[in-house]
């Protein structure tokens, strides 16, 4: 496993070699073909890249699931965690952008972690990029996981934790719900496959309900709890006007959400971003208001590291690393996925008593904790009233130092 790199495997569709010259395709150590789904798994074991801790088994490669669709993956015996985007892997990239150092706080210190680059086109994954919505991406990832567990049966039956962040607020609830639906069909003999039971769902700074997120930008920019303002009262007043006026941002999001066309959703995104989000943010970083866009923290050193030919060859990567694929993002936006809410589906998961943790950092702007708390309070589930009446408790590490605050109601936690 490595930080922000590949998942144990990338997805590919049947003939990825048709799309790349033979000289450009690495010679994988092993290839396994799924008897059920016709997908193939090509992987390299213990590449020596990033994860160098003795005794840790690391795997990287691709799962080919159809016509030129390849998902990149990395895996780390303990609980089994699926992680979709973000960084907390076994190493950190040094400032020279050519070497790494062991990450003492890596999640794979306590769990097996499968890092998955998706949708197609993100990270090291490649193919036709035909997933344009979170539900479409769910079906592809399900086939990928079926192939993985068929190839590595030792991981079957372990506690399976689905963890994600940011846009995972959309595809996370969709994926877990889709897996549950597939499990029902497998139990009734309708389709073949392995039961994939998600025992817990973890979401960090999730993009869940666009209306709530946009509604909270002006207030957060003027009075970010614990920090100095990042927008002047004049900017906030103007943005609030665009937010609430007739035909403004909130009205356009409502149109999109209540059966509106994909075009309605795109228009809402453009209007709200230009008139509310961007003016309130100013020159601050979208992900950390303590710094600016020009000086992000941490610096994106991993991009150059992952684009080194030696690194790519060692881990079996077949394409240049893409941290944020604009083409993929535009397809999801044009399909209306970005501006539609996942709050109802998230509430249904909470109502099912699935163990859930939703947590937000206090300096993020785009998915800030004030909006996150607001939408969580609005989420309809059996514990909604109790959650709203339960005070926060201080979180410490080994009893020392306050690192956050948390509310717990049954299996649901917000931090």
């Amino acid at each position: 496993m490595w930080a922000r790199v590949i998942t144990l495997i990338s997805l590919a569709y049947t003939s990825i070699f048709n799309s790349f010259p033979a000289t450009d395709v690495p010679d994988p150590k092993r290839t396994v073909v799924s008897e059920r789904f016709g997908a193939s798994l090509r992987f390299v074991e213990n590449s020596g890249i990033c994860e160098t801790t003795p005794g840790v088994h690391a795997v990287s490669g691709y799962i080919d699931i159809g016509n030129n669709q390849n998902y990149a993956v990395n895996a780390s015996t303990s609980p089994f965690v699926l992680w979709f985007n973000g960084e907390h892997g076994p190493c950190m990239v040094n400032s020279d952008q050519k070497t790494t150092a062991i990450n003492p706080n890596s999640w794979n210190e306590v769990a097996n972690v499968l890092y998955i680059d998706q949708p197609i086109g993100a990270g090291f994954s490649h193919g036709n990029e035909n997933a344009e919505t979170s539900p479409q991406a769910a079906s592809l990832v399900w086939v990928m996981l079926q192939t993985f567990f068929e190839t590595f049966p030792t991981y079957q039956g372990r506690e399976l934790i689905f963890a994600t962040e940011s846009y995972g607020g959309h595809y996370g609830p969709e994926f877990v719900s889709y897996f549950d639906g597939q499990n029902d069909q497998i139990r009734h003999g309708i389709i073949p496959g392995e039961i994939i039971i998600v025992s817990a769902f973890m979401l960090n700074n999730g993009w869940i309900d666009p209306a709530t997120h946009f509604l909270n930008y002006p207030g957060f920019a003027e009075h970010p709890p614990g920090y100095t303002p990042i927008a002047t009262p004049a900017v906030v007043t103007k943005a609030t006007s665009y937010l609430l006026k007739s035909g403004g941002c909130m009205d356009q999001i409502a149109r999109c959400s209540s059966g509106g066309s994909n075009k309605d959703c795109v228009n809402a995104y453009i209007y709200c971003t230009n008139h509310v989000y961007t003016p309130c943010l100013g020159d601050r970083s979208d992900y950390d208001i303590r710094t600016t866009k020009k000086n992000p923290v941490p610096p994106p050193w991993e991009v150059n590291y992952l684009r080194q030919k030696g690194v790519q060859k060692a881990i079996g990567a077949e394409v240049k690393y893409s941290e944020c694929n604009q083409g993929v993002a535009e397809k999801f936006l044009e399909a209306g996925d970005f501006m539609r809410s996942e709050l109802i589906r998230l509430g249904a998961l909470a109502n099912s008593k699935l163990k859930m943790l939703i947590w937000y950092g206090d300096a993020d702007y785009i998915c800030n904790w004030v909006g996150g708390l607001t939408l969580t309070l609005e989420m309809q589930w059996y514990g909604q009233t109790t959650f709203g009446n339960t005070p926060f408790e201080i979180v410490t590490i080994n009893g020392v130092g306050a690192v956050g605050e948390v509310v717990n109601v049954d299996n649901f936690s917000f931090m």
Side-chain angles (χ1 to χ4, degrees):
M1 313 147 320
W2 28 119
R4 224 171 179 172
V5 192
I6 335 182
T7 28
L8 170 72
I9 291 153
S10 284
L11 284 184
Y13 274 133
T14 46
S15 235
I16 62 166
F17 297 106
N18 290 338
S19 299
F20 301 91
T23 54
D24 293 339
V25 180
D27 181 21
K29 296 282 193 305
R30 295 179 61 189
T31 299
V32 179
V33 178
S34 168
E35 296 180 359
R36 285 178 175 163
F37 301 98
S40 64
L41 177 64
R42 296 172 289 112
F43 58 93
V44 173
E45 296 182 279
N46 300 320
S47 64
I49 298 298
C50 186
E51 179 54 274
T52 57
T53 305
V56 176
H57 183 215
V59 182
S60 61
Y62 287 88
I63 291 180
D64 310 328
I65 64 169
N67 299 320
N68 193 30
Q69 297 203 32
N70 319 283
Y71 282 91
V73 187
N74 292 323
S76 94
T77 311
S78 317
F80 195 81
V81 177
L82 304 177
W83 178 256
F84 297 80
N85 65 283
E87 62 288 285
H88 51 52
C91 77
M92 298 175 288
V93 178
N94 295 321
S95 59
D96 63 6
Q97 303 179 53
K98 296 179 180 180
T99 60
T100 64
I102 290 295
N103 177 9
N105 301 311
S106 172
W107 283 22
N108 73 303
E109 291 291 319
V110 294
N112 296 282
V113 187
L114 181 64
Y115 293 92
I116 303 175
D117 285 349
Q118 71 84 43
I120 297 293
F124 284 116
S125 63
H126 62 89
N128 294 332
E129 302 179 14
N130 65 341
E132 298 178 357
T133 66
S134 296
Q136 290 174 0
S139 64
L140 299 178
V141 170
W142 182 82
V143 172
M144 189 215 73
L145 291 174
Q146 289 292 319
T147 305
F148 176 82
F149 287 123
E150 184 179 338
T151 306
F152 296 98
T154 185
Y155 294 112
Q156 292 180 20
R158 299 192 187 192
E159 180 181 11
L160 180 63
I161 301 170
F162 189 109
T164 185
E165 69 171 8
S166 193
Y167 203 71
H170 262 53
Y171 57 71
E174 289 286 347
F175 284 20
V176 176
S177 299
Y178 183 82
F179 295 172
D180 289 343
Q182 294 295 90
N183 290 342
D184 287 340
Q185 295 197 60
I186 293 171
R187 293 188 183 101
H188 288 88
I190 299 173
I191 61 173
E194 299 295 331
I195 299 290
I196 299 177
I197 298 177
V198 175
S199 65
F201 177 65
M202 301 171 63
L203 175 61
N204 172 215
N205 285 82
W207 177 261
I208 301 167
D209 184 63
T212 307
H213 292 304
F214 276 101
L215 186 62
N216 280 276
Y217 286 139
F220 186 81
E222 187 171 22
H223 301 292
Y227 299 104
T228 58
I230 63 173
T232 65
V235 168
V236 169
T237 298
K238 187 174 182 179
T240 302
S241 173
Y242 280 111
L243 182 72
L244 301 177
K245 71 179 184 179
S246 178
C249 176
M250 294 304 292
D251 281 356
Q252 292 193 37
I253 294 176
R255 185 181 305 120
C256 163
S257 301
S258 57
S261 66
N262 292 345
K263 182 63 174 176
D264 289 331
C265 296
V266 172
N267 289 340
Y269 170 80
I270 294 173
Y271 183 95
C272 295
T273 299
N274 290 342
H275 296 296
V276 180
Y277 178 90
T278 301
C280 289
L281 178 61
D283 69 344
R284 298 286 94 186
S285 166
D286 303 73
Y287 309 109
D288 190 338
I289 61 172
R290 297 168 296 186
T291 187
T292 64
K293 293 184 177 73
K294 293 182 179 180
N295 299 288
V297 176
W301 295 333
E302 76 281 359
V303 176
N304 286 336
Y305 175 77
L306 295 174
R307 289 178 177 175
Q308 293 182 89
K309 292 183 178 179
V311 170
Q312 295 185 22
K313 182 177 181 180
I315 63 178
E318 299 173 348
V319 295
K320 183 178 179 181
Y321 178 74
S322 175
E323 185 169 38
C324 295
N325 188 310
Q326 192 60 35
V328 173
E330 289 176 357
K331 287 187 176 183
F332 274 69
L333 175 61
E334 291 168 359
D337 195 87
F338 191 87
M339 293 299 286
R340 294 190 170 107
S341 177
E342 285 291 330
L343 191 57
I344 292 176
R345 196 174 296 277
L346 189 67
L349 293 179
N351 226 26
S352 73
K353 297 188 176 182
L354 173 69
K355 287 185 290 185
M356 294 176 61
L357 168 63
I358 296 177
W359 81 103
Y360 285 80
D362 68 348
D364 188 282
Y365 174 79
I366 186 170
C367 297
N368 64 70
W369 74 267
V370 176
L373 177 59
T374 301
L375 65 87
T376 305
L377 289 167
E378 295 172 350
M379 184 174 70
Q380 296 184 13
W381 64 297
Y382 74 88
Q384 181 181 13
T385 300
T386 303
F387 178 81
N389 294 328
T390 302
F392 278 90
E393 296 181 359
I394 298 297
V395 177
T396 61
I397 296 178
N398 297 323
V400 179
V403 297
E405 299 180 48
V406 66
V407 174
N408 299 105
V409 176
D410 291 349
N411 286 339
F412 182 84
S413 299
F414 178 93
M415 185 165 66

